[in-house]
Amino acid sequence: MLENKTVILGVSGGIAVYKAVELLRLLTKAGATVHVVMSKNAQEFVTPLTFQTLSGNPVHTELFNLYQEQEIGHISLADRADLFILAPATANLIGKIANGLADDLLSTSVMATKAPVLVVPAMNSNMYENPLYQQNEKKLAEAGYQVMEPATGELACGWLGKGKLPEPELIFAAADAMLTAKDLSGCRVLVTAGPTREELDPIRYLTNYSSGKMGYAVAAAAAARGASVTLVSGPTSLQTPYGVEVVPVRSAEQMRAAVLECFAESDVVIKAAAVADYRPARRGENKIKKTADEMTIELEKNPDILSELGTRKQEQVLVGFAAETESLLVHATEKLQKKGLDMIVANDVTAEGAGFDVDTNLVRFLFADGKVEELDLMRKEQVANRLLDQVAELWQAKRQ
Ligand code: C5P
């Protein structure tokens, strides 16, 4: 939870500095106050003015600057941080911290802070693999710094390998998780998301408008709250959320198999997927040819995965979604009871800002004991956290 938190973003010199600009934007958008500290080399890649404009705060660059000292001072800067992020963190910066060196404002501030520190390395893959670097990184991890694993891909120097700065969204999620209370620690959560695709032939399928955003937001938020999360996902264009294991599937049948495999080991199941109710009764082995003027497609019913879980459940908390276009409460209540759920998230997908493929949602929570909670229109990430507040309570109650 980065809202109203003070974050120091320490930027050291590497080509990935431009990605720190995007990270800063995500942090401020989430409501954090961000102070940027740049090393001398970092300023060769992007000017302090860019960070200053986007953070709305002066950028700190000098250890001995009379004006900056008077304004804030490197110790008070380190003191007031809720979180310190080093992105990109070069081999040089990591080497300095690991060996207790503090010879500029950035290394001094990191040394002086008592706040949690997220270190996001970025460097050439040979440098990354160098045993001396690896020792330094290990020292940081052992001292309690959280070190992110770099991404693999094409590096700025043209090499292909490990050492890239992870995408800003992933760094943001890791930072957010560091400031989030771990009320789901020890809880194994299974989430389903996205649409299913029901094939007609090798090149055509039936599907729906689900983007997967709601389910992905639930999986990401659950991971940030300490749960171990498996996300069984239909086809979407979304990035794997930080700390989540994704099992990709296409059809309802595949989703059923993946869900049943994990079910016994799950404490909570949240079924946000928009599973197709029907599938073509026959799948053409080859492309169906255009011959007759009319064509009829015969459909057969897909298995209702959630209902099946309802009959099999032991101690699991079972949460379903009901996307409706009319008589919302009637349909949602019926599903809650018929499918044996502990809770259902009801949303009228015709309402402005709600439903498929938008970033917000307007929902109500209905519970097995008849309780109803109505939420305002809010971002899907917020809906996810409100949902998990309820799930955490239901899970705790079942454990006692
Ligand atoms: O019956 P309806 O499709 O409206 O129910 C929605 C809820 O049931 C969602 O949680 C959805 O993931 C789940 N569902 C399912 N298997 C199906 C159809 C829906 O698990 N075949």
Side-chain angles (χ1 to χ4, degrees), residues 87-384:
T90 57
N92 180 50
L93 178 64
I94 289 170
K96 282 203 282 189
I97 302 168
N99 291 286
L101 298 179
D103 66 347
D104 63 0
L105 180 63
L106 183 51
S107 49
T108 308
S109 311
V110 185
M111 199 69 70
T113 194
K114 290 237 186 245
V117 181
L118 174 63
V119 183
V120 196
M123 67 199 70
N124 162 275
S125 51
N126 282 353
M127 288 171 80
Y128 182 73
E129 283 161 17
N130 187 310
L132 291 173
Y133 168 76
Q134 287 295 328
Q135 272 174 28
N136 287 337
E137 194 189 283
K138 198 161 158 241
K139 269 197 206 174
L140 256 59
E142 283 167 0
Y145 293 77
Q146 179 156 332
V147 185
M148 259 184 106
E149 203 171 314
T152 300
E154 194 179 334
L155 303 166
C157 49
W159 284 65
L160 205 65
K162 194 167 178 177
K164 268 169 82 85
L165 193 81
E167 288 308 310
E169 288 79 9
L170 282 187
I171 305 174
F172 175 85
D176 191 50
M178 285 173 78
L179 294 183
T180 302
K182 303 287 180 262
D183 61 348
L184 288 174
S185 171
C187 183
R188 294 159 304 176
V189 177
L190 172 61
V191 182
T192 69
T196 63
R197 279 183 189 169
E198 311 299 331
E199 286 191 5
L200 267 167
D201 69 15
I203 57 166
R204 304 184 182 97
Y205 54 82
L206 302 179
T207 191
N208 57 62
Y209 283 119
S210 170
S211 62
K213 284 179 182 169
M214 191 64 243
Y216 273 62
V218 171
R225 292 166 77 143
S228 85
V229 184
T230 304
L231 173 62
V232 176
S233 173
T236 74
S237 57
L238 303 173
Q239 234 185 46
T240 297
Y242 177 67
V244 170
E245 190 200 335
V246 175
V247 180
V249 294
R250 286 199 308 276
S251 65
E253 267 297 349
Q254 289 173 355
M255 183 170 279
R256 175 178 175 271
V259 165
L260 291 184
E261 199 171 317
C262 304
F263 185 56
E265 278 77 48
S266 302
D267 300 304
V268 171
V269 181
I270 302 171
K271 286 220 79 247
V275 186
D277 292 325
Y278 293 88
R279 64 177 173 229
R282 279 168 296 282
R283 177 189 180 279
E285 230 173 83
N286 294 307
K287 182 182 168 190
I288 299 167
K289 301 308 276 180
K290 178 172 52 182
T291 45
D293 284 345
E294 281 184 13
M295 187 180 168
T296 306
I297 299 168
E298 194 186 329
L299 300 177
E300 64 186 11
K301 218 166 187 179
N302 261 330
D304 191 316
I305 308 166
L306 195 48
S307 294
E308 200 171 333
L309 299 185
T311 58
R312 288 181 183 220
K313 85 169 170 182
Q314 310 271 316
E315 286 305 305
Q316 287 97 342
V317 175
L318 218 51
V319 182
F321 274 69
E324 304 293 343
T325 54
E326 34 89 41
S327 310
L328 178 65
L329 286 182
V330 177
H331 291 312
T333 309
E334 197 182 294
K335 281 174 196 172
L336 175 78
Q337 290 162 354
K338 218 168 81 186
K339 300 193 187 207
L341 310 178
D342 296 279
M343 173 181 176
I344 195 158
V345 181
N347 70 326
D348 178 351
V349 288
T350 60
E352 182 84 14
F356 293 147
D357 211 15
V358 288
D359 292 330
T360 51
N361 214 349
L362 183 63
V363 305
R364 276 176 229 196
F365 299 150
L366 278 62
F367 298 85
D369 63 6
K371 198 175 75 181
V372 178
E373 187 187 348
E374 201 168 334
L375 271 57
D376 296 330
L377 182 74
M378 56 181 76
R379 293 188 58 77
K380 284 183 173 168
E381 290 80 9
Q382 292 171 304
V383 175

Side-chain angles (χ1 to χ4, degrees), residues 33 36 104 241:
T33 301
V36 178
D104 63 0

